[in-house]
Amino acid sequence: MSGSSPVRLPETAVLRPTSGKVLTVVMGLFAAVGLFSFVFRGAWRDALGFTPLAVTVVYLCWMLFWYPSVTVEPSGVTVRNPLRTFHVSWPAIVRVDTRYALTLFTKTGKKVVAWSAPSPSRYAGINTVRPDLSGLNPNVGQKLVDADNYGSIAPTGADRPGTVKLGDVPRSESGLAALHVRRAWAALRDAGYLDSGVVEGTGVATEWNTIVLGAVGILIALSVLAGFVI
């Protein structure tokens, strides 16, 4: 690693689909309207029975579509899925795949898939134009190929010159996340941070989202109880 010039570490970026936020807000509005209709009619018993169920549905929507994220930071990549959260260190990453979703492959053979960064469908390529490929390697992007041909090694995005995989298109969830990961990986590699190749343990720290899952259990129990009691 050269000491003659300052090294710029990757800036922290938290990525999650906008569609998930919109869906959660819409579900919340539907729940609020439903609750208001019961209150407006003076059906307090129905309102009490409806509330736990509505909150549970909105919470599940939030857990599945808003809560998951991909965070790119100086220490590595954190993939937060509905059930578990994975932190993958930079030296551990050997391949970035976007065939079905953003997927990180590690030196130990472990595979981490990001729930919040799915790849687009084949039909997305029909509406993809050259400006959508901005930010990619300038030597890449003459044409699109489908996801069946994917097989890239970090930090590049195509296995054949002049091609871009649908999963790598930056306007897609998988493509935007992969772009951030590959840029950060390349910056650290060029700065010499990955030269040693040393990985502590497996390079992947995993934890269950116990608070989130516990809240789901409580809400479901309240919904069931409300159905019997109220």
Side-chain angles (χ1 to χ4, degrees), residues 137-153:
N137 187 317
N139 297 320
V140 173
Q142 300 305 312
K143 65 178 181 177
L144 293 172
V145 296
D146 64 42
D148 287 341
N149 297 316
Y150 196 91
S152 68
I153 302 296

Side-chain angles (χ1 to χ4, degrees), residues 29 49-50 69-71 93 99 104 112-113 124 154 172 176 184 212-213 224-225:
L29 290 175
F50 172 78
S69 64
V70 174
T71 301
I93 299 175
R99 183 173 184 179
L104 307 179
V112 177
V113 181
S172 68
L176 181 60
V212 172
L213 295 175
V224 173
L225 183 63

Side-chain angles (χ1 to χ4, degrees), residues 75-96:
S75 61
V77 181
T78 299
V79 176
R80 188 166 68 187
N81 291 335
L83 302 182
R84 293 188 294 174
T85 296
F86 305 87
H87 182 79
V88 187
S89 65
W90 290 114
I93 299 175
V94 296
R95 186 155 73 96
V96 179

Side-chain angles (χ1 to χ4, degrees), residues 65-204:
F65 303 111
W66 187 323
Y67 175 70
S69 64
V70 174
T71 301
V72 180
E73 51 196 339
S75 61
V77 181
T78 299
V79 176
R80 188 166 68 187
N81 291 335
L83 302 182
R84 293 188 294 174
T85 296
F86 305 87
H87 182 79
V88 187
S89 65
W90 290 114
I93 299 175
V94 296
R95 186 155 73 96
V96 179
D97 189 0
T98 59
R99 183 173 184 179
Y100 300 113
L102 175 72
T103 305
L104 307 179
F105 290 85
T106 70
K107 290 184 177 180
T108 60
K110 188 174 181 63
K111 180 173 67 173
V112 177
V113 181
W115 172 279
S116 64
S119 295
S121 68
R122 291 172 180 270
Y123 301 103
I126 299 175
N127 298 318
T128 300
V129 294
R130 188 176 296 275
D132 294 329
L133 308 180
S134 61
L136 294 178
N137 187 317
N139 297 320
V140 173
Q142 300 305 312
K143 65 178 181 177
L144 293 172
V145 296
D146 64 42
D148 287 341
N149 297 316
Y150 196 91
S152 68
I153 302 296
T156 60
D159 54 0
R160 298 198 305 273
T163 64
V164 174
K165 306 302 183 292
L166 289 179
D168 285 337
V169 175
R171 76 171 184 173
S172 68
E173 306 299 347
S174 60
L176 181 60
L179 182 62
H180 278 271
V181 172
R182 287 172 176 142
R183 280 179 172 175
W185 189 92
L188 291 169
R189 177 203 59 191
D190 294 342
Y193 276 90
L194 307 179
D195 289 349
S196 68
V198 176
V199 179
E200 294 185 9
T202 62
V204 182

